[in-house]
Amino acid sequence: MLDRFIYQGLPARVLFGRGTITKLSEEVERLGLTRMMVLSTPEQVALAERACELLGVRAVATFSGATMHTPIEVTVRALEAAKACMADGVVALGGGSTIGLGKAIALRTDLPQIVIPTTYAGSEMTPILGETQDDRKTTQRGPRIQPEVVIYDVDLTLTLPPVMSALSGFNAMAHAAEALYASDRNPVVSLMAEEGVRAIYEALPEVLLNPADPNARTTLLYGAWLSACCLGSTSMGLHHKLCHTLGGLFDLPHAQTHAILLPYALTYNAPAIPEALTRLGRAMDAECAIGALIHLEGACGIPLALRDIGMPEEGVERAVEEALANPYNNPRPIEPAPLREILSRAWAGSGV
Ligand code: NAD
């Protein structure tokens, strides 16, 4: 029997497919904008320049200083640049780091955002912004943060290196997994979550074998989009909170942290989430969802221990303290001893 639920659709307009970046100018025109500032990381300047070419006179500046975890000092510099060129909108072209910068600008200026994601991290579909200041990452939600238009162009994902694609794919899968046991889950989001995991699980091995295969990339991006919708529509639990805490405290790389922690967080919650695990198993065509996930991660050649991505051992205790200090919704209550146990295991990569 269905429980009572609330479903709120996300207001973003989504374009999906190959070559969709060529629609950028049309979308800018649709929004009535004339002075766009294009954002990127230093590594994706060439792509930002391509966007400027497509925009023609509607491009007034580029800012290519986006970096992981949206540090406030970078946002301050980008805001000065937006003011100097009198931008009336931003194009964020890249992964979650660039999209985070676009959101941080929109939060403070209400400038409309057109987002062109090139990873599978999923920030584009959420009204969520995480920002870092003094080693601490704080997260907020709000309507100004939600991008107005998202252009998913499969072709732009073909250059994402295979291991980075796997890491980013697991990041996406984590959004769907936690949505299946979120306190505010609902039937629509659960459908998206299950289909998202199915698509990612199916496509990842193909993408690793042949990163330039547009069909596998299409399926992976489709799964990432669905998973991103899940992240934007439900509140996340232990897994996401731990990733944010660790990312802020130790400047750990985002996707790697998600990929390493996911099987451990699911194991912690397992006694409280039988239905979610059944759905995850169905999506992966496996009896044991956590086992299938671990198997796939092992085959992807990604780091499997937090110590291998820069977390100090004493960080385990700090993370436990943080998790206990900021209580939040999680299907299994957060208790220090079992949490310490799984974090120690994730740190050493010793398995669930
Ligand atoms: P990223 O944006 O930092 O990208 C990683 C690197 O890959 C960068 O150097 C980038 O230039 C490069 N890159 C991106 N796409 C590429 C491509 N197609 N080809 C070649 N290189 C490419 O990494 P990410 O994992 O996408 O994003 C992480 C950030 O996003 C974190 O700060 C995280 O907190 C944030 N995030 C936020 C949300 C949210 O809803 N607020 C959701 C997910 C992630």
Side-chain angles (χ1 to χ4, degrees):
M1 197 182 76
L2 272 184
D3 283 339
R4 288 164 59 171
F5 63 85
I6 296 175
Y7 170 71
Q8 168 124 26
L10 295 166
R13 171 178 164 87
V14 174
L15 285 73
F16 187 98
R18 297 192 65 186
T20 46
I21 193 174
T22 53
K23 297 280 177 198
L24 176 59
S25 207
E26 242 172 74
E27 291 300 314
V28 168
E29 203 179 331
R30 248 191 87 257
L31 293 176
L33 304 172
T34 55
R35 303 184 61 80
M36 303 302 286
M37 181 161 94
V38 180
L39 310 172
S40 78
T41 58
E43 296 81 19
Q44 289 182 296
V45 173
L47 204 51
E49 280 165 5
R50 190 172 153 214
C52 288
E53 277 168 28
L54 288 166
L55 285 169
V57 290
R58 288 195 170 86
V60 289
T62 54
F63 181 91
S64 297
T67 186
M68 188 87 70
H69 302 310
T70 328
I72 299 276
E73 56 274 19
V74 174
T75 301
V76 169
R77 282 196 286 120
L79 282 167
E80 282 165 6
K83 199 172 165 193
C85 69
M86 293 185 292
D88 63 3
V90 292
V91 175
L93 213 180
S97 298
T98 308
I99 299 168
L101 178 60
K103 289 173 159 185
I105 295 171
L107 173 69
R108 291 164 176 86
T109 58
D110 210 12
L111 289 182
Q113 308 164 66
I114 297 185
V115 173
I116 310 176
T118 61
T119 70
Y120 307 110
S123 178
E124 63 280 358
M125 290 308 297
T126 81
I128 307 166
L129 170 64
E131 296 182 289
T132 313
Q133 191 164 31
D134 303 328
D135 289 348
R136 180 144 284 154
K137 192 159 184 176
T138 49
T139 302
Q140 56 183 307
R141 280 179 181 254
R144 279 186 175 205
I145 296 170
Q146 172 88 49
E148 281 74 5
V149 177
V150 180
I151 301 178
Y152 284 104
D153 187 336
V154 175
D155 292 345
L156 303 185
T157 65
L158 299 179
T159 50
L160 194 65
V163 168
M164 187 59 209
S165 300
L167 291 166
S168 199
F170 289 120
N171 184 184
M173 203 188 270
H175 308 328
E178 285 226 299
L180 284 169
Y181 55 74
S183 56
D184 50 1
R185 65 187 175 277
N186 62 65
V188 177
V189 169
S190 295
L191 279 176
M192 290 196 279
E194 205 174 316
E195 172 68 356
V197 172
R198 189 203 60 72
I200 295 167
Y201 190 77
E202 177 195 308
L204 256 186
E206 294 293 323
V207 166
L208 283 170
L209 275 178
N210 186 2
D213 173 5
N215 292 333
R217 288 287 189 178
T218 300
T219 307
L220 187 50
L221 192 59
Y222 163 68
W225 166 57
L226 290 171
S227 302
C229 294
C230 296
L231 176 66
S233 304
T234 52
S235 38
M236 296 284 122
L238 176 71
H239 172 78
H240 280 76
K241 298 292 175 181
L242 281 179
C243 290
H244 277 236
T245 303
L246 296 178
L249 281 176
F250 309 113
D251 198 25
L252 301 188
H254 179 84
Q256 285 86 334
T257 311
H258 270 275
I260 293 167
L261 267 181
L262 184 58
Y264 294 93
L266 287 175
T267 301
Y268 182 93
N269 279 330
I273 57 165
E275 195 194 322
L277 289 177
T278 302
R279 294 190 78 146
L280 280 174
R282 194 162 64 201
M284 297 192 245
D285 198 16
E287 254 173 50
C288 173
I290 300 174
L293 175 63
I294 290 169
H295 185 76
L296 180 59
E297 288 200 345
C300 286
I302 60 171
L304 297 171
L306 291 172
R307 67 174 165 193
D308 293 342
I309 59 165
M311 178 169 159
E313 189 167 11
E314 59 277 17
V316 170
E317 207 45 51
R318 282 186 74 185
V320 171
E321 281 164 22
E322 285 271 337
L324 291 169
N326 302 305
Y328 45 82
N329 250 323
N330 189 62
R332 177 179 173 191
I334 309 296
E335 294 159 13
L339 181 61
R340 190 174 296 113
E341 166 75 17
I342 60 133
L343 271 175
S344 301
R345 287 180 161 278
W347 179 80
S350 51
V352 296

